[in-house]
Amino acid sequence: MNKEILISVDHISHYYGNHCAVDDVSFSVHRGEVLGFLGPNGAGKSTTMQMICGVLSASAGQITVAGHDMFESPKAAKKNLGFLPEHPPLYQDLNVDEYLRYAARLRGIIKAEIKKAVETSKQRCGLSDTGKRLIKNLSKGFQQRIGIAQAIIHSPAVLILDEPTSGLDPNQILEIRELISELGNDHSVILSTHILPEVQSVCDRVLIIHQGKLVLDESLDKLQQDDHIRPIKIALRQPPPPEVLGEIEGITSIEQIGNHHFKIYCQSDIETINRITKMSVESEWELYEMIPERDSLEETFVQLTRGESQSLSDEKPDENPDEAGEDSE
Ligand code: ADP
């Protein structure tokens, strides 16, 4: 992709006391790209996002947003960023217009431009008819839209969304995902989530972070290409010995999980699947079930983040006292 790089994260690390939460992470985000940021609990997602937003400093490394160094010129860098935290800071007793006007003032939009900024962000987030409604009377889905509207009020080049669909019902989830896809046309979006289908439905590229290290940076198209090894469960009424199945071209390994059931690891291309079904018919194995166990993103995620449980380290050691009050805006 030759598009302009809007976020560049260059060898950043962050220590909480002696604990390395983010370890030498580098990546970049281009204009018009929606990037999914995945990782198990405690992997370092929030710490990384907070560094990109300039809320936490980096122990090492550099971050630039639209060409501005986040640590040397935080004001200029933050002008180009919009952030939706997991729990958006909404004032429940304000109406939507009042709240968005307030957000616009906080973002330094000049008085003459505020009305237009509020109307545009409401319109983009499907809030045009809600201006006079009190926030506390709106559904969680609408409140999330308001959170997104405040994040885009100053038309930032980059949008950072932390778990934007958490706590929403299935219809609201679909609506917010559609909105994110639309916003992805004009902004660069970083979407932190642990919901894999969300990444599949809205992202162009996926990063996986595990124990503070970046373990994957790949386009979704590439991940979903058919050349990945994926487990498939098959059931045969008259199975041959597993070694015979293992001889089928494309099968890399095989595990017998019952008298009739096998888990086979194979290239998930259509030719391999066809060979298995054809052999089964020719050899009268009576294939009656064939179920892909996981899709390629899920499989990749599990493979890359398997191992030492992160939940053990979820307990937070003391914050480094040097870092209090770092927000330099
Ligand atoms: P994620 O967002 O992926 O769940 P975090 O970035 O919150 O991960 O946490 C990464 C690691 O840093 C975890 O081991 C977590 O316990 C630790 N951590 C997070 N915040 C703090 C903090 N304020 N003080 C000390 N340790 C923290």
Side-chain angles (χ1 to χ4, degrees):
M1 191 187 286
N2 289 326
K3 285 187 173 172
E4 180 191 359
I5 291 179
L6 288 181
I7 292 193
S8 163
V9 172
D10 204 11
H11 297 286
I12 52 160
S13 298
H14 187 86
Y15 283 83
Y16 293 106
N18 292 327
H19 176 61
C20 183
V22 173
D23 188 4
D24 195 21
V25 164
S26 299
F27 61 90
S28 47
V29 193
H30 296 82
R31 187 179 288 283
E33 194 173 31
V34 182
L35 182 80
F37 197 45
L38 287 173
N41 280 339
K45 299 182 295 296
S46 299
T47 304
T48 307
M49 304 276 257
Q50 288 183 61
M51 285 192 281
I52 296 174
C53 293
V55 177
L56 268 184
S57 68
S59 311
Q62 193 189 25
I63 294 173
T64 54
V65 180
H68 303 282
D69 188 300
M70 179 52 82
F71 306 119
E72 280 172 12
S73 326
K75 268 202 161 157
K78 287 178 190 181
K79 265 209 160 101
N80 290 283
L81 272 180
F83 182 43
L84 175 73
E86 191 178 348
H87 304 289
L90 301 178
Y91 290 100
Q92 301 287 333
D93 290 320
L94 295 184
N95 70 30
V96 175
D97 283 344
E98 286 165 343
Y99 173 72
L100 290 178
R101 278 201 293 270
Y102 172 66
R105 280 203 303 277
L106 282 183
R107 280 297 183 174
I109 297 176
I110 56 166
K111 220 170 168 191
E113 300 284 331
I114 287 180
K115 192 159 186 266
K116 188 160 155 257
V118 169
E119 287 311 315
T120 308
S121 71
K122 272 198 309 185
Q123 188 249 326
R124 297 190 69 191
C125 296
L127 292 166
S128 292
D129 299 331
T130 60
K132 299 287 169 277
R133 302 278 307 274
L134 285 183
I135 293 177
K136 66 181 172 196
N137 294 337
L138 292 169
S139 68
K140 182 101 179 40
F142 269 97
Q143 295 200 1
Q144 202 66 351
R145 284 167 186 270
I146 301 168
I148 296 178
Q150 67 75 31
I152 62 169
I153 193 98
H154 54 305
S155 300
V158 175
L159 253 183
I160 299 193
L161 309 174
D162 195 1
E163 303 279 355
T165 58
S166 79
L168 301 185
D169 72 30
N171 288 332
Q172 294 167 336
I173 288 176
L174 287 182
E175 285 168 19
I176 294 293
R177 284 185 191 162
E178 270 170 28
L179 175 58
I180 295 170
S181 295
E182 268 171 46
L183 293 171
N185 295 329
D186 300 327
H187 305 256
S188 294
V189 180
I190 300 184
L191 175 72
S192 160
T193 179
H194 62 277
I195 306 169
L196 301 186
E198 188 143 293
V199 173
Q200 271 152 329
S201 67
V202 297
C203 296
D204 306 304
R205 198 151 63 86
V206 58
L207 299 186
I208 297 180
I209 187 167
H210 178 48
Q211 298 179 340
K213 289 188 172 20
L214 203 61
V215 291
L216 181 92
D217 179 348
E218 191 63 271
S219 78
L220 218 53
D221 283 348
K222 184 94 192 293
L223 268 181
Q224 286 172 343
Q225 273 169 12
D226 282 342
D227 59 356
H228 280 77
I229 304 288
R230 288 164 61 176
I232 298 179
K233 209 165 88 185
I234 62 168
L236 305 164
R237 251 182 263 286
Q238 307 288 343
E243 323 63 273
V244 175
L245 280 173
E247 280 165 12
I248 298 175
E249 196 189 331
I251 294 186
T252 53
S253 65
I254 189 149
E255 207 181 301
Q256 184 150 15
I257 50 175
N259 287 341
H260 300 275
H261 288 84
F262 299 84
K263 197 194 253 190
I264 56 179
Y265 292 84
C266 65
Q267 304 280 348
S268 55
D269 59 297
I270 193 72
E271 285 82 16
T272 307
I273 307 293
N274 284 346
R275 269 195 293 276
I276 297 169
T277 43
K278 192 160 167 258
M279 278 292 281
S280 166
V281 173
E282 284 172 4
S283 313
E284 298 180 357
W285 295 334
E286 296 180 32
L287 176 72
Y288 66 94
E289 216 175 81
M290 189 176 231
I291 306 171
E293 284 250 295
R294 299 184 189 109
D295 66 31
S296 45
L297 177 58
E298 192 179 351
E299 181 58 23
T300 307
F301 184 85
V302 171
Q303 274 179 15
L304 292 174
T305 60
R306 207 182 338 227
E308 197 185 312
S309 165
Q310 281 296 297
S311 56
L312 291 175
S313 57
D314 268 348
E315 218 175 287
K316 299 187 175 181
D318 284 345
E319 175 88 54
N320 184 346
D322 293 338
E323 281 170 358
E326 285 185 358
D327 194 348
S328 38
E329 202 168 59

